Amino acid sequence: MTDDINPLHFDTLAIRTGHQRTAEGEHGEPIFPTSSFVFKSAAEAAARFSGEQPGNIYARFTNPTVRNFEQRLAALEGGESCVATASGMAAILSVCLGLLKAGDHIVSSRSIFGTTTILFERYLGKFGVETSFVDLTDVRAWEQALKPNTRLLFLETPSNPLTEVADIKALADLAHAHDCLLVVDNCFCTPALQKPLQFGADIIIHSATKYLDGQGRIIGGAVVGDKEKVGTDIHGVIRTAGPSMSPFNAWVALKGLETLSLRMNAHSRNAAELASFLNAHPQVEQVYYPGLESHPQYDLAKVQQSASGGIVSFQIKGDKEQAWKLIDETRLLSITANLGDTKTTITHPATTTHGRLSEEHRSAVGITDNLIRIAVGLEDIEDIKKDLARGLDS
Ligand SMILES: *Cc1c(COP(=O)(O)O)cnc(C)c1O
């Protein structure tokens, strides 16, 4: 369901897509907690198994609630096909298993989710898939890292935690000129603020754990793209290897999608206000937020994103000790590494989300010991500012 052929707008698609009402006439989307599906006859069972007749067989393959979530997210990203997964990491792994083979090469942004780096280096490396890491914003470095066996370019934009913004169109063009695919992890913006497929990306990754659910209740993930790669190759991995999304988690995430653009715009408003507050504070060395005019990719972010998102990072004057002290002095903010929740969270990336990376990797991506990341929630922003001001002013 793309925007070209479907006249409905984003918020309507977010609320209406994918529910096939049952004979009960329910208004709300049902959950189908069933592991298998029954057939009217042996012949129908055979036809389903052979693929001659479409339909449900077993919930590792398909489930109506999961499909409801998949169709809704595909509509929002403007993609042909979506498959849901048990987690965001399962989404990334399934893309790699579905599209790569031993001997292939990935070029990835160095500034990605820490666990994704480990998946690429430690685990895919074991199976003969090699990854080169480059600076997200340096298109020439991406080009120089390409090899004859490069198949995927992988990035997040804005990046975590420093909110650098990639030029999606330039990197999609580069990928296509070299017969590669561009994979974008769209976790930070969600389709409410950014639709990478419109800029030429081929595959979208989501951690539904974050803003798609938006209330910190589930672990889930998804992949969006075309029918052949996502609907066939990547779905094939999920139905065979089994990192499928549970119907309950799919239901939570699909109800989350209904308020996605309301929430993303509210997160962005709060984050923009917090970023200016921190930017003006004498104890703050530097603030990283794409909505600040001082951000190096401020203009690019304006083109690609309809708002700046909910993640603000900053370096305080001092070192790890001062950073930890500021975190410990908050009373309202939650000290947790999760993001994309209604509750504001505060993290010290160098010793948590990015703690398993080598020191060189960390310093190459600029994750210093005085860096703090805030995933701004939906509380009243005055209370968030006050909670941080106590530590900053003392
Ligand atoms: C959290 C996260 C992931 C991994 O998702 P899980 O649901 O935790 O497996 C991947 N990419 C980004 C950008 C994330 O923030």
Side-chain angles (χ1 to χ4, degrees):
M1 204 186 289
T2 68
D3 288 339
D4 301 344
I5 53 170
N6 195 305
L8 298 176
H9 294 89
F10 189 92
D11 285 329
T12 312
L13 293 170
I15 290 168
R16 296 280 178 177
T17 308
H19 177 198
Q20 287 177 5
R21 195 162 288 144
T22 74
E24 299 294 342
E26 76 284 352
H27 191 210
E29 296 80 348
I31 309 179
F32 287 86
T34 181
S35 35
S36 75
F37 299 85
V38 295
F39 312 106
K40 290 194 185 74
S41 64
E44 190 184 69
R48 289 271 174 91
F49 272 82
S50 72
E52 251 167 72
Q53 187 193 92
N56 299 308
I57 297 174
Y58 188 58
R60 173 159 30 82
F61 311 167
T62 58
N63 174 283
T65 314
V66 176
R67 190 175 56 237
N68 193 345
F69 166 68
E70 291 169 338
Q71 290 181 347
R72 198 166 283 191
L73 183 58
L76 298 183
E77 285 285 6
E80 272 178 5
S81 198
C82 170
V83 291
T85 55
S87 66
M89 292 317 301
I92 300 171
L93 177 64
S94 302
V95 167
C96 295
L97 289 179
L99 303 179
L100 300 175
K101 60 180 188 316
D104 285 348
H105 175 246
I106 301 172
V107 181
S108 172
S109 161
R110 202 177 275 119
S111 306
I112 52 173
F113 189 61
T115 311
T116 309
T117 307
I118 293 166
L119 175 70
F120 288 165
E121 283 199 310
R122 188 179 306 165
Y123 296 103
L124 293 184
K126 280 209 307 195
F127 296 95
V129 173
E130 195 208 345
T131 304
S132 305
F133 293 97
V134 296
D135 180 344
L136 177 68
T137 59
D138 182 352
V139 179
R140 282 195 45 202
W142 287 83
E143 186 163 14
Q144 281 162 4
L146 293 170
K147 298 181 183 185
N149 56 339
T150 306
R151 290 288 164 266
L152 293 188
L153 275 58
F154 186 97
L155 62 87
E156 289 169 22
T157 181
S159 70
N160 179 14
L162 291 174
T163 74
E164 301 156 285
V165 175
D167 187 335
I168 301 173
K169 182 164 188 315
L171 292 172
D173 289 347
L174 178 69
H176 300 153
H178 292 84
D179 235 355
C180 300
L181 300 172
L182 178 64
V183 181
V184 175
D185 182 333
N186 201 25
C187 184
F188 270 33
C189 276
T190 83
L193 306 186
Q194 168 175 278
K195 295 187 188 178
L197 296 176
Q198 287 181 348
F199 296 98
D202 300 286
I203 306 268
I204 306 298
I205 302 278
H206 274 288
S207 167
T209 314
K210 313 294 167 50
Y211 292 107
L212 302 190
D213 163 26
Q215 290 159 78
R217 301 168 292 191
I218 58 153
I219 298 284
V223 183
V224 183
D226 69 26
K227 275 206 182 85
E228 192 191 324
K229 286 186 279 294
V230 175
T232 305
D233 298 344
I234 296 165
H235 183 243
V237 171
I238 286 149
R239 59 175 279 163
T240 307
S244 324
M245 182 181 258
S246 85
F248 177 75
N249 288 357
W251 182 81
V252 171
L254 84 91
K255 297 306 282 181
L257 291 179
E258 295 183 2
T259 54
L260 185 66
S261 76
L262 276 175
R263 288 186 286 103
M264 291 312 294
N265 284 300
H267 280 292
S268 300
R269 275 195 304 277
N270 264 359
E273 180 143 351
L274 185 68
S276 352
F277 164 78
L278 291 169
N279 208 28
H281 200 285
Q283 289 311 311
V284 172
E285 197 170 277
Q286 192 172 350
V287 181
Y288 301 87
Y289 187 63
L292 289 175
E293 273 179 54
S294 55
H295 188 284
Q297 295 94 36
Y298 173 78
D299 293 327
L300 178 61
K302 276 243 170 315
V303 173
Q304 286 180 181
Q305 304 174 206
S306 62
S308 303
I311 309 295
V312 178
S313 293
F314 63 101
Q315 280 148 343
I316 71 159
K317 290 188 177 151
D319 52 21
K320 182 180 120 181
E321 203 186 320
Q322 276 75 37
W324 277 23
K325 190 157 170 287
L326 178 68
I327 292 171
D328 290 344
E329 280 184 19
T330 61
R331 293 177 199 158
L332 186 65
L333 272 51
S334 314
I335 305 174
T336 175
N338 197 28
L339 62 94
D341 196 315
T342 52
K343 298 182 175 76
T344 299
T345 67
I346 186 164
T347 316
H348 184 246
T351 52
T352 60
T353 51
H354 294 71
R356 282 203 293 166
L357 299 184
S358 68
E359 189 128 15
E360 297 99 281
H361 197 119
R362 247 197 330 270
S363 72
V365 294
I367 298 174
T368 54
D369 281 350
N370 61 345
L371 183 78
I372 291 174
R373 185 193 78 190
I374 298 189
V376 186
L378 302 180
E379 303 97 331
D380 192 301
I381 194 62
E382 292 309 319
D383 295 326
I384 306 292
K385 286 198 277 191
K386 208 158 121 194
D387 205 34
L388 285 163
R390 190 177 325 103
L392 283 170
D393 294 341
S394 73

